[in-house]
Amino acid sequence: MRTPTPLLTRFRRSYGAGPAHLLLLLAGLALAVHTVRTIGLDALWDPEVWWQSIAVWFIGAAVVHDLVLYPTIAAADTVIARATTRRRAGTGTRGRRRHAGRRIPVPAVNYVRVPLMACALVTVLFLPGIIRHGADTYQRATGQTQDPFLLRWALLCSAIVLLGLAAYLVARLRAPRRTPSDPPPPAPLPDRRAVPVPGGVPAGVPAAGTGTGAVRQDRAPLLAAALVALAVVAVVLVRRRGRA
Amino acid sequence: MRDPAQDPDESGFGFPAPLWRAVARRRPLGLDVRWRSPLRGPWLTSVLGLVLLVVLPVVTVTGLLSYSAYGPQFDQAYPGDVGFLRLPDFDWPTDPPWLYRLNQGLHVGLGLVVIPVVLAKLWSVIPKLFQWPPARSLAQVLERISLLMLVGGLLFEIVTGVLNIQYDYVFGFSFYTAHYYGAWVFMAGFLVHVPLKLATMVRSLRGTSLREVMRTGRDQTRPETGPSHGLIPTDPDPPTLSRRGALGLVGGGSLLVLVLTAGQTVGGVSRYAAVLMPRGRQPAGTFPVNKTAEAAGISREAVESWRLTLTGGAVEVSLTREQLLALPQHTATLPIACVEGWSTTQTWTGVRLRDLARLAGVTEPSSARVESIQESGLFRAATLQGNQVDHADSMLALRVNGGDLPLDHGYPARIMVPAIPGVHCTKWVGTIDFEAG
């Protein structure tokens, strides 16, 4: 390895990276500045309707994603994860005997959040059609209205949620039953500060019910039923509106 | 290229050190976010980054090619006057006839399909956004600016593109201007980001085998080991999803978008799957339209006394639709491919453009200017290149699928040329001016 010259070392220390880094960054910035100069500063800003400015949408796209969209999704995901998992008490012989013969619980978390994420993606991506935004332009271009999209969207999202529910029920029915000799029901939620066990799960514990996400057996179907009910109500409402 | 994040003196501050140290001390309240997911780490980021490294250049280059396809040499690509911010001049080819359909199918299709990957990639690196201090040197300040160009540019392109293909112009500004220049700012960010991170990406990918990850279930999933690059959480929650599950989730999201959008380009049965896309629906008994006659201000009465005018030769030639139908007819199956990604392939019948040129008295036309009887609109006229006029399948179509053209599709006559942007297949043609070679 060649030793850097003192000059190079000093440059690195004061700039924070090598000269090639600086050159690359300057080239990139030059291209961006040239682009802005070509489009012209006037084109970036609409003095009459400020929020319809290119500059606002450019910065806004990043800011809205980082400070609105991301925290919202993260918070929603935390709520879903908390609602569908819990730390389980019940170690010892009594617990063991009580739970013998029952099926090992299946964590519901992914059966809820995956469909909901799919629905969120579909909703955000096709929002203009769903809420009939830009109806005039749409009609002039296609010769059609956006009317069918709302119902299609509601049906699609309901189907996705129902699919998640069906997958969850199948997973629960296929989960193995616990035998009295099995270790206590579902393995407690590991302390998140705990050092991971090398080699993963101890032998003899079926993978499906171990680790995290021991489901609130009593709550998961309720949650799913609520979602389905919501979907059905949405479809009915949309249908009514369509007929009106 | 060295990544400042992994410089040996990472703990140190660049010039002027007192400034960076002062910033570091003033950590805003509420910035102590605990990053919960045990899945975050350089490997996951690198896998997603690799996908984007392959896909985004395709989306970008097809976008630039589309600009060339519009014919900037005739000042009919938007935005105009882009200086050197475009590909060098070349004549857009006419073969294969599905070239523009493929180009836009890739541009719009991949651009949509990649959205879940973009979101996942941003999710995977979000701890870096809230890192404190945000910079320890001028090098890191410049990198942060380049990241704004990259991320802002990418999201801006996605948002404007997604709105445009659904005709929602809520943003108010010109889509062409915004989407084109936005792409150049994105490119500037991308061209900086890739060389800076390539070595880190390759090293991270080599560190863990994909096969190993694909064999690891949720309960065996552990935080990544190896250099953190500010991504591996120090105090994570237990996993609720394995890494393969996370990759499956992203891939599944992309697959869902593909199923819901590909039909507008591919057509056939798949069109029925594009249930939320404008061109997922076929107008009854016909095929999708880009602009209705009503919107163009064309009525049945207006085309009753229609005549086609051919100029460019010694004398002006005027033809009725009957006279055109009496000329030798040519039939070809050609796609209309819209810049918005949708396309539809139909069988067209009409008079070859080169026959019309000869009729006008121009034997070897170098170009042809086609004007619609439509009175206004950005695309009421278009200039065709020499190779486009001369192609054996280029025609002034009078009929489609054995019947007369519907009014919405350009009755009495429209241009059909292989591999050109749909809007240059001018509808309700009034005049064609052939330029002698």
Side-chain angles (χ1 to χ4, degrees):
Chain A
M1 219 174 108
R2 93 199 139 86
T3 22
T5 61
L7 189 67
L8 198 62
T9 314
R10 277 180 59 192
F11 179 86
R12 278 190 166 284
R13 197 169 300 145
S14 31
Y15 170 63
H21 182 279
L22 179 62
L23 273 178
L24 180 69
L25 263 296
L26 287 181
L29 285 176
L31 179 55
V33 168
H34 177 77
T35 304
V36 169
R37 284 181 50 135
T38 308
I39 186 175
L41 283 175
D42 287 347
L44 297 181
W45 180 252
D46 183 343
E48 276 158 35
V49 192
W50 67 269
W51 62 269
Q52 289 190 327
S53 304
I54 291 180
V56 172
W57 278 67
F58 191 96
I59 306 289
V63 171
V64 169
H65 171 270
D66 295 343
L67 301 181
V68 180
L69 195 63
Y70 171 77
T72 310
I73 293 173
D77 191 60
T78 308
V79 169
I80 293 170
R82 293 240 169 106
T84 47
T85 52
R86 73 166 175 187
R87 195 181 287 255
R88 275 245 170 182
T91 47
T93 357
R94 240 179 75 197
R96 211 175 292 175
R97 213 172 292 133
R98 185 149 45 97
H99 289 276
R102 286 199 192 168
R103 289 189 191 277
I104 289 171
V106 179
V109 57
N110 291 326
Y111 297 95
V112 176
R113 76 169 159 195
V114 172
L116 287 186
M117 277 169 136
C119 291
L121 178 68
V122 168
T123 308
V124 171
L125 213 50
F126 300 105
L127 194 63
I130 298 166
I131 62 169
R132 298 176 214 187
H133 212 257
D136 285 350
T137 342
Y138 187 94
Q139 180 130 31
R140 289 165 58 85
T142 63
Q144 299 174 323
T145 68
Q146 295 161 301
D147 293 346
F149 291 134
L150 185 61
L151 179 62
R152 288 177 178 197
W153 165 80
L155 288 174
L156 180 65
C157 287
S158 310
I160 292 173
V161 170
L162 282 174
L163 216 63
L165 176 70
Y168 174 67
L169 292 178
V170 168
R172 264 185 71 167
L173 287 175
R174 287 179 57 189
R177 284 178 195 283
R178 200 171 274 120
T179 59
S181 58
D182 269 344
L189 201 64
D191 190 309
R192 55 184 166 74
R193 278 167 200 81
V195 183
V197 187
V201 189
V205 180
T210 57
T212 66
V215 72
R216 287 187 162 175
Q217 282 268 34
D218 42 340
R219 272 210 196 169
L222 264 179
L223 197 71
L227 285 173
V228 174
L230 266 179
V232 171
V233 168
V235 171
V236 170
L237 281 179
V238 168
R239 278 235 140 123
R240 276 220 181 130
R241 212 177 134 185
R243 242 179 266 139
Chain B
M1 197 70 46
R2 283 175 72 174
D3 182 350
Q6 65 197 64
D7 259 8
D9 40 48
E10 191 191 344
S11 52
F13 294 100
F15 177 82
L19 172 70
W20 306 122
R21 219 169 273 131
V23 172
R25 270 199 305 271
R26 286 171 178 73
R27 184 193 200 88
L29 280 174
L31 210 65
D32 296 302
V33 188
R34 183 169 75 82
W35 302 103
R36 294 165 191 277
S37 174
L39 302 188
R40 280 200 186 91
W43 184 83
L44 188 66
T45 298
S46 297
V47 171
L48 299 167
L50 180 62
V51 175
L52 296 182
L53 181 61
V54 174
V55 174
L56 292 181
V58 178
V59 179
T60 311
V61 170
T62 47
L64 290 173
L65 283 172
S66 176
Y67 187 83
S68 297
Y70 268 76
Q73 69 270 38
F74 303 123
D75 287 325
Q76 54 186 8
Y78 301 100
D81 299 326
V82 296
F84 68 78
L85 295 178
R86 65 178 177 95
L87 299 179
D89 262 341
F90 67 96
D91 267 3
W92 184 253
T94 46
D95 283 296
W98 38 263
L99 183 66
Y100 192 71
R101 184 181 179 210
L102 175 72
N103 194 76
Q104 285 321 96
L106 287 175
H107 181 72
V108 176
L110 281 180
L112 288 166
V113 163
V114 85
I115 290 174
V117 187
V118 170
L119 293 176
K121 172 75 163 60
L122 292 178
W123 172 87
S124 80
V125 293
I126 201 127
K128 302 263 255 190
L129 181 72
F130 296 97
Q131 218 168 38
W132 201 266
R136 297 165 170 276
S137 62
L138 187 61
Q140 292 185 350
V141 172
L142 290 181
E143 259 192 69
R144 291 243 168 204
I145 296 172
S146 78
L147 287 175
L148 176 65
M149 285 150 42
L150 177 76
V151 177
L154 187 50
L155 293 172
F156 182 77
E157 293 301 280
I158 289 175
V159 169
T160 49
V162 164
L163 287 171
N164 179 61
I165 60 169
Q166 299 181 80
Y167 304 99
D168 186 353
Y169 296 103
V170 59
F171 43 74
F173 43 76
S174 156
F175 168 74
Y176 301 106
T177 306
H179 201 68
Y180 193 79
Y181 289 114
W184 279 96
V185 177
F186 159 73
M187 272 185 265
F190 190 75
L191 292 174
V192 169
H193 192 67
V194 170
L196 281 185
K197 297 295 182 187
L198 196 64
T200 310
M201 184 189 84
V202 172
R203 221 177 298 121
S204 307
L205 288 177
R206 284 205 181 130
T208 312
S209 90
L210 182 67
R211 198 178 296 165
E212 186 66 36
V213 172
M214 288 318 205
R215 273 201 294 251
T216 309
R218 183 189 57 229
D219 301 323
Q220 287 79 41
T221 298
R222 304 279 174 268
E224 285 182 32
T225 51
S228 168
H229 298 284
L231 295 176
I232 301 176
T234 47
D235 181 21
D237 277 351
T240 52
L241 194 64
S242 63
R243 255 176 215 98
R244 69 173 176 211
L247 292 180
L249 181 62
V250 178
S254 287
L255 189 67
L256 177 66
V257 177
L258 180 73
V259 168
L260 289 176
T261 57
Q264 67 156 354
T265 310
V266 181
V269 186
S270 69
R271 201 179 288 277
Y272 295 104
V275 286
L276 295 170
M277 291 294 279
R279 290 337 182 295
R281 290 189 288 154
Q282 300 266 35
T286 165
F287 50 93
V289 56
N290 183 54
K291 189 168 196 177
T292 57
E294 199 187 339
I298 307 282
S299 62
R300 272 276 160 206
E301 299 77 63
V303 295
E304 257 169 21
S305 54
W306 177 85
R307 292 176 81 86
L308 173 73
T309 309
L310 302 175
T311 57
V315 285
E316 203 177 275
V317 179
S318 176
L319 296 162
T320 63
R321 194 164 191 277
E322 287 64 41
Q323 287 171 316
L324 284 164
L325 283 166
L327 292 171
Q329 301 289 303
H330 176 72
T331 299
T333 301
L334 294 173
I336 306 177
C338 185
V339 67
E340 288 146 19
W342 66 271
S343 51
T344 175
T345 305
Q346 308 295 336
T347 303
W348 311 88
T349 304
V351 185
R352 280 189 170 125
L353 288 181
R354 57 186 185 202
D355 292 351
L356 289 177
R358 213 163 297 131
L359 211 63
V362 183
T363 41
E364 276 181 25
S366 62
S367 67
R369 172 94 179 151
V370 182
E371 286 192 38
S372 171
I373 57 170
Q374 182 186 343
E375 276 169 14
S376 62
L378 205 50
F379 297 107
R380 59 170 297 279
T383 303
L384 302 172
Q385 298 161 184
N387 63 335
Q388 292 168 337
V389 179
D390 196 46
H391 194 277
D393 282 341
S394 297
M395 65 174 103
L396 183 74
L398 305 166
R399 297 162 66 77
V400 61
N401 302 328
D404 279 346
L405 280 175
L407 188 61
D408 275 342
H409 287 292
Y411 181 90
R414 75 172 300 168
I415 296 291
M416 280 311 299
V417 168
I420 63 170
V423 284
H424 284 177
C425 293
T426 310
K427 299 196 278 191
W428 314 292
V429 172
T431 61
I432 304 176
D433 181 28
F434 293 99
E435 185 81 28

